[in-house]
Amino acid sequence: MEKIMRKQSRRHKENLTRTKKKIYSSVEEAIEALKETATAKFVESVELHANLNIDPKYADQQLRTTVTLPHGVGKQTIIAVLTNEENFEEAKSSGADIIGNDELIEEITKGNINFDLLVATPNMMPKLAKLGRVLGPKGLMPSPKSGTVSSTLKTTLTEFKKGKFEYKADKTGIVHVSFGKSDFTNIQLGENLEALYRSIEQNRPSGVKGKYFKNVFICTSMGSSLKLDLEIFE
């Protein structure tokens, strides 16, 4: 069977030439180069990819936490709240987009997931147990660790509406996170990048031995990867 090679665009080749084998030793330089590679005809997402020295199959080497970046990520989050009827008004006034009880569970069971984040009050968790197979693979299962199981809905919803979001390492130990858009200013992207790095650093799993970060790259959704010096944030 003949192997089909996808032809690289001139834009992509130019980006590769500009960034190949280069290691960026300052945040300002890295962000400047990142913006120069954002040449698509739409506003691209800006991403961090951190390869960590962890093995997530062990409980003490798993990374799953939340962070609020100084300038958000340029995306509106649709939040669903699963709670008792007496809490519906509080959830609505605090910014929830979808609110429900048994009927919301029924919709989720059918695969109707029209939200980016699910927040649940503690008393609803037993009812959610049966939805693990639906919500788990999508990273939507509420958990106390991620702040999505809460009895203080107003505070929780206000934080998530301000841009708080959850991230985690995948099964290979790599964190893939968006930290803004290509139309953000250099300062906004730099501050978001530093805040995200600090969050990963501060949530180092207890089971990590020795070096935590193997390597860190940033890129736009259509651009080439830029490798960062691991001492860039020191």
Side-chain angles (χ1 to χ4, degrees):
M1 185 176 179
E2 186 179 349
K3 190 175 181 180
I4 299 174
M5 299 294 290
R6 179 177 292 179
K7 186 178 179 181
Q8 293 182 337
S9 68
R10 186 180 70 179
R11 178 187 66 82
H12 185 63
K13 285 180 180 178
E14 288 174 351
N15 283 341
L16 283 175
T17 301
R18 188 181 297 140
T19 61
K20 193 175 182 181
K21 294 183 179 179
K22 186 173 175 64
I23 299 177
Y24 294 85
S25 55
S26 82
V27 171
E28 294 76 16
E29 181 190 20
I31 295 300
E32 184 66 39
L34 182 83
K35 298 269 282 192
E36 289 175 359
T37 66
T39 54
K41 295 179 180 178
F42 58 90
V43 178
E44 300 176 61
S45 291
V46 175
E47 305 160 2
L48 172 139
H49 303 273
N51 187 4
L52 306 177
N53 182 31
I54 61 175
D55 187 347
K57 71 180 180 183
Y58 298 107
D60 64 352
Q61 294 190 44
Q62 294 174 359
L63 174 65
R64 181 181 181 184
T65 189
T66 57
V67 66
T68 304
L69 299 182
H71 306 288
V73 294
K75 176 187 176 184
Q76 288 294 322
T77 302
I78 299 173
I79 303 176
V81 174
L82 185 62
T83 187
N84 288 340
E85 196 168 338
E86 56 263 31
N87 295 325
F88 282 11
E89 189 55 44
E90 180 186 2
K92 183 178 180 181
S93 64
S94 301
D97 301 288
I98 300 170
I99 306 162
N101 192 324
D102 292 336
E103 72 282 0
L104 179 55
I105 291 176
E106 185 62 31
E107 285 298 307
I108 296 171
T109 303
K110 293 176 182 176
N112 297 327
I113 299 175
N114 303 311
F115 50 84
D116 304 308
L117 183 78
L118 178 61
V119 173
T121 45
N123 61 310
M124 301 302 295
M125 290 308 291
K127 294 185 177 183
L128 269 179
K130 65 180 182 180
L131 296 177
R133 288 184 179 180
V134 179
L135 296 172
K138 298 180 182 294
L140 292 172
M141 190 69 175
S143 77
K145 190 173 182 181
S146 67
T148 47
V149 176
S150 172
S151 54
T152 55
L153 288 177
K154 183 176 180 180
T155 301
T156 299
L157 291 171
T158 299
E159 288 177 346
F160 280 114
K161 278 296 181 180
K162 282 183 178 178
K164 182 178 180 180
F165 65 91
E166 182 185 50
Y167 67 87
K168 64 179 181 178
D170 65 17
K171 62 183 180 181
T172 65
I174 301 176
V175 176
H176 310 274
V177 193
S178 170
F179 64 94
K181 297 286 187 180
S182 59
D183 61 351
F184 281 24
T185 67
N186 289 26
I187 291 174
Q188 288 175 325
L189 287 175
E191 291 179 351
N192 275 2
L193 174 60
E194 292 202 37
L196 179 56
Y197 178 88
R198 299 292 176 213
S199 173
I200 298 172
E201 185 179 48
Q202 290 163 10
N203 287 281
R204 174 184 174 128
S206 60
V208 174
K209 300 291 189 293
K211 191 176 181 181
Y212 182 32
F213 288 90
K214 290 182 178 179
N215 50 57
V216 177
F217 293 86
I218 60 173
C219 64
T220 60
S221 49
M222 299 294 288
S224 51
S225 295
L226 282 64
K227 188 174 184 178
L228 306 184
D229 187 320
L230 291 177
E231 295 182 0
I232 195 172
F233 303 105
E234 298 300 323

